[in-house]
Amino acid sequence: MKVSASKKLTADDTAILRHIARYRLTVVEALARLPECQRHTAAELAARLQRLDRADFVASTCLHTDRQCYELTRKGAIRVGHSLADRDSHARLSEATKIRRFAALSFCCLTSVRRQRLTAAELADQVAGLNGSEADTPYYVTRDEAAPRIGFLRVDLGGHGRWDRILAKCQQDVREHADNPRWTPWIGSNRFEVTLVTALPQKAERLHRALSQQEHAPPVSVRIAVIPELLYLIAPPPTSP
C-alpha cells in the first residue's frame, strides 16, 4: 500500500514549509541557517526540497540564471495552516515581487545579524491598531538586541537607475511612520528603523551621503544595506545569441 506524501513529512520538513510561508520564497543557503536544518548539508537540504517539490508541497522556480528558489504550493500552505493568496498559487511571480521577497529573505536570513520577517498577525500583536493593509507591508524584527527593534524594508528596484527616486520613497516611508501615532512609542524609544536595500555599493554610498547632508536629521533611524545578488534579478546579463 502506497503511503501518502503528507504522512511522510518530518519535523524538519514542516519547519521548512513554515519558513517558506514566512518569507514567501527561499533558497538552500537560507534553510541552512534554520536551527532545525543546521545539522544537514547543503546537498541534503537540496534533496529534501526536491522531495517536497515532487510531493507538491513546494514549487521550484528560477531566481536568476541557473539559481533556483522555492515557493509554497496551495497544498504546502494548507499543511502548515498558511493562508495563500490566489495570485500566489495561480500566477507566475512578477519580477518586482520576486526581487522584494528575495531581498527580505537575504536581509533577514543571509547576514550575520539575526532578523525575522514579521507576519501580519505578529506585527498587529506588536503594534496595536495596525490594520490589515498596513500589516501586509514588509516589516521585520531584529532579535540580536536587548529590546526587539522593528524595521520597515524598502527595496530599490532600479539597478543602475536614479538614486534620487528611491531616496524620495525612503524619505516618504520615514514621514509616514513618524506621523503615525501608533509608531510613536517605538520611534521614541529608538526601536524602529527604515532600511533601504540596494544592489550596488556605489548607489548605497551616494544614498548615504545624501541622507547625511540633509539639513535636519530624520526622526527615524535609516539604514542602508547592500545585497549585490539583487543585481542579477534587477539587471540580468544578456543571453547568448
Side-chain angles (χ1 to χ4, degrees):
M1 178 178 177
K2 186 176 180 180
V3 179
S4 67
S6 61
K7 293 182 180 179
K8 295 182 180 179
L9 286 185
T10 66
D12 291 355
D13 293 333
T14 301
I16 289 172
L17 296 182
R18 292 190 186 283
H19 162 82
I20 301 176
R22 181 177 295 276
Y23 292 98
R24 283 81 58 83
L25 62 75
T26 198
V27 294
V28 171
E29 294 89 335
L31 290 181
R33 303 286 188 95
L34 287 179
E36 298 89 344
C37 296
Q38 288 178 356
R39 66 182 182 277
H40 299 298
T41 66
E44 290 170 341
L45 290 172
R48 188 175 291 265
L49 281 168
Q50 290 168 7
R51 181 171 64 80
L52 290 170
D53 191 350
R54 290 193 299 271
D56 194 34
F57 288 107
V58 304
S60 63
T61 187
C62 179
L63 183 64
H64 61 78
T65 56
D66 295 325
R67 184 152 158 75
Q68 294 293 110
C69 65
Y70 293 83
E71 307 168 71
L72 276 189
T73 61
R74 182 168 295 282
K75 179 180 176 181
I78 292 171
R79 187 69 171 83
V80 293
H82 175 67
S83 177
L84 192 67
D86 286 341
R87 63 179 177 275
D88 286 338
S89 58
H90 295 295
R92 179 178 176 271
L93 268 185
S94 72
E95 292 305 310
T97 298
K98 187 187 296 184
I99 291 167
R100 290 190 181 97
R101 292 183 180 182
F102 182 66
L105 177 76
S106 299
F107 183 69
C108 292
C109 301
L110 297 178
T111 72
S112 59
V113 179
R114 192 165 60 102
R115 302 184 182 95
Q116 186 177 70
R117 179 184 174 272
L118 288 171
T119 66
E122 290 167 345
L123 182 63
D125 186 56
Q126 292 280 355
V127 185
L130 287 184
N131 61 37
S133 61
E134 290 172 308
D136 287 338
T137 52
Y139 291 91
Y140 62 88
V141 62
T142 300
R143 302 292 187 186
D144 290 344
E145 297 179 1
R149 173 188 289 261
I150 291 180
F152 177 93
L153 201 66
R154 165 66 65 181
V155 181
D156 174 22
L157 304 177
H160 295 278
R162 289 175 53 181
W163 60 269
D164 55 329
R165 290 180 179 174
I166 189 64
L167 178 62
K169 290 180 180 179
C170 181
Q171 291 170 327
Q172 181 180 350
D173 296 332
V174 168
R175 288 193 299 271
E176 288 179 354
H177 286 88
D179 292 343
N180 188 333
R182 299 184 184 97
W183 287 104
T184 300
W186 290 85
I187 295 172
S189 58
N190 195 30
R191 292 190 296 136
F192 178 77
E193 65 188 13
V194 170
T195 294
L196 174 55
V197 172
T198 188
L200 297 169
Q202 303 94 319
K203 198 169 189 178
E205 182 180 350
R206 184 65 185 89
L207 290 165
H208 185 272
R209 188 162 62 249
L211 286 169
S212 64
Q213 291 173 351
Q214 292 181 109
E215 184 177 355
H216 301 290
V220 173
S221 175
V222 178
R223 174 197 303 272
I224 299 176
V226 180
I227 301 177
E229 191 175 358
L230 288 178
L231 190 60
Y232 292 100
L233 284 74
I234 294 170
T239 57
S240 301

